[in-house]
Amino acid sequence: MGVVSDVMAISLPKRELRNLRLRLTSALLLAPPVFFAVFFGDPWFKAIVVAAALAMSWEWSRICCGAKFDICGWVLTLAIIGALSAMFLGMPGLAVFLMAFGAISLFVVSRGKGRQKPINMLLGMGLIAGFALTSPWVRDYPAWGRELMIWLLFLVWLTDIGGYFFGRAVGGRKLAPKISPNKTWSGFFGGLFLASCWSGYWLTSSINLSLVLALIAGVGISALAQLGDLSVSAVKRRYGVKDASGLIPGHGGMLDRLDGMLLTAPTLAVVLFVVDRGWI
């Protein structure tokens, strides 16, 4: 109760309080359509994933190209949309080919173009495509797809909340001061704590997973969510960018809102694939 009361007693400056209210308002407006899509699945969920992929491709190319959307941005966007279209049509082999061709093309056109390095553009392609291609597969996973996607979304969300409030309440040593100066180790473990509590409750009650496995899954995915956050922050800091864009008031851009999903959705898909094949 001590930590909780400390968190509730945080006195925020007026500017931060206004920003927090704006963030909450944006979240309340965005949450209903997202959870509608998650609950009802196709075609709504795929539509939201495509929209998010388009927005993140636009943001990533602008981050790396001095706030310009040039030929690199078009190659990045078209490769991801082409691969998504192939996957939705049931042609995973074509999707892999289009991603490989797109990666080679992106490497070629990005050399010496703007301020970006080819490796940064390829990193963006990998992160965005990984999220966009695996999220619908997880949502459509037989029997548990909807439950697992709800689990993942709330887990990433609670990781952010725990990181913010525990970080402010406890403070202490910085997690990665050269990448994200505001993040602390207390916030990192606070995110793990809230995520593991949610994971323990949801996975045991919705898919009858054992409590131990549910807690391990919560901690592991929460850590990956924070790693995805730091990865995007590192690229933004490399180019002197604070927010990916201004698409979502109070949150920044789509990348700022979904950075925790960039590594977690592909990882969950890989785990499900391995379990499905009986390899573990």
Side-chain angles (χ1 to χ4, degrees):
M1 289 297 293
V3 173
V4 174
S5 61
D6 288 344
V7 172
M8 297 299 294
I10 295 174
S11 178
L12 295 175
K14 288 185 178 180
R15 183 177 178 181
E16 289 193 34
L17 187 58
R18 285 196 299 269
N19 186 58
L20 180 59
R21 288 172 178 168
L22 186 59
R23 286 171 64 90
L24 289 174
T25 301
S26 296
L28 290 174
L29 290 175
L30 288 172
V34 170
F35 284 102
F36 175 90
V38 172
F39 188 85
F40 289 103
D42 287 341
W44 313 107
F45 187 73
K46 287 179 180 176
I48 280 189
V49 169
V50 170
L54 284 171
M56 289 191 288
S57 298
W58 173 72
E59 290 171 348
W60 191 278
S61 62
R62 282 173 53 85
I63 289 171
C64 297
C65 301
K68 298 177 182 179
F69 187 80
D70 59 11
I71 183 63
C72 297
W74 281 111
V75 172
L76 171 63
T77 302
L78 290 174
I80 291 175
I81 295 304
L84 276 173
S85 299
M87 285 292 290
F88 294 163
L89 292 173
M91 296 183 285
L94 179 59
V96 172
F97 170 78
L98 290 174
M99 284 304 304
F101 180 77
I104 294 172
S105 302
L106 187 60
F107 179 83
V108 172
V109 300
S110 63
R111 293 187 66 183
K113 191 75 175 175
R115 295 191 298 152
Q116 80 278 21
K117 292 182 179 180
I119 188 65
N120 292 327
M121 292 300 295
L122 292 175
L123 174 64
M125 173 179 279
L127 290 173
I128 297 168
F131 158 76
L133 292 171
T134 58
S135 294
W137 188 85
V138 171
R139 172 57 186 82
D140 292 339
Y141 188 77
W144 301 332
R146 181 169 64 189
E147 287 73 18
L148 288 173
M149 186 53 65
I150 291 173
W151 168 73
L152 181 60
L153 287 173
F154 271 100
L155 190 145
V156 172
W157 181 45
L158 289 170
T159 295
D160 287 342
I161 292 175
Y164 179 82
F165 284 104
F166 278 84
R168 290 197 64 89
V170 181
R173 189 175 179 180
K174 301 297 183 180
L175 176 63
K178 293 184 179 180
I179 297 175
S180 187
N182 292 327
K183 295 187 184 301
T184 62
W185 280 102
S186 60
F188 173 79
F189 288 111
L192 294 185
F193 172 72
L194 287 188
S196 62
C197 289
W198 159 251
S199 184
Y201 161 73
W202 185 255
L203 292 184
T204 55
S205 60
S206 63
I207 65 174
N208 296 319
L209 195 68
S210 72
L211 179 59
V212 172
L213 288 178
L215 293 176
I216 291 174
V219 169
I221 294 296
S222 177
L224 278 176
Q226 298 188 63
L227 180 59
D229 186 335
L230 288 173
S231 299
V232 174
S233 294
V235 174
K236 290 191 297 183
R237 180 161 288 271
R238 159 70 176 81
Y239 293 105
V241 174
K242 183 180 184 294
D243 293 326
S245 73
L247 285 177
I248 308 175
H251 293 272
M254 195 65 68
L255 274 168
D256 302 305
R257 184 65 275 166
L258 293 179
D259 50 15
M261 296 287 291
L262 297 179
L263 294 178
T264 55
T267 300
L268 179 56
V270 170
V271 171
L272 291 175
F273 182 82
V274 170
V275 171
D276 222 20
R277 295 300 183 275
W279 295 346
I280 58 173

